Amino acid sequence: MSHPYLCPNCKTNRTRFNILEQQPVSVKLDPATGGLVHQYSEEERLDPFHLPYNGSSRLVQCAACGVTGEEEMFIKRAQSKPL
């Protein structure tokens, strides 16, 4: 968070944001009930057909308009419109 942000949606907010730290949890659900069958630990190998999460570990939400996106999107918008 050492870079300035600018909301790419409302284009005015530079100060109020929510930082969303993502903590993915790999699970296997029962297809009929949706109940939890198995929760994988970080050390445990996933099933062959279960891909590991490879998304962003941090998202940013504009606290003025509510748009949520990748942190890089907010940084790039601020760089393109410096103060």
Side-chain angles (χ1 to χ4, degrees):
M1 284 188 296
S2 61
H3 300 282
Y5 290 166
L6 174 59
C7 178
N9 186 54
C10 66
K11 300 174 183 73
T12 57
N13 179 26
R14 292 180 181 266
T15 58
R16 295 177 311 279
F17 300 96
N18 297 312
I19 307 300
L20 310 170
E21 299 286 342
Q22 298 197 103
Q23 303 276 328
V25 177
S26 297
V27 297
K28 185 173 184 177
L29 302 178
D30 182 281
T33 65
L36 181 66
V37 173
H38 184 73
Q39 181 172 332
Y40 297 93
S41 67
E42 289 184 25
E43 300 83 32
E44 191 175 0
R45 289 184 52 192
L46 298 173
D47 290 341
F49 296 108
H50 195 129
L51 295 174
Y53 178 75
N54 62 358
S56 188
S57 62
R58 174 183 284 175
L59 294 177
V60 177
Q61 181 184 42
C62 174
C65 74
V67 73
T68 302
E70 300 281 334
E71 181 180 37
E72 191 66 23
M73 188 169 64
F74 288 81
I75 294 170
K76 292 290 185 192
R77 176 54 102 172
Q79 290 171 345
S80 71
K81 304 280 185 186
L83 286 175

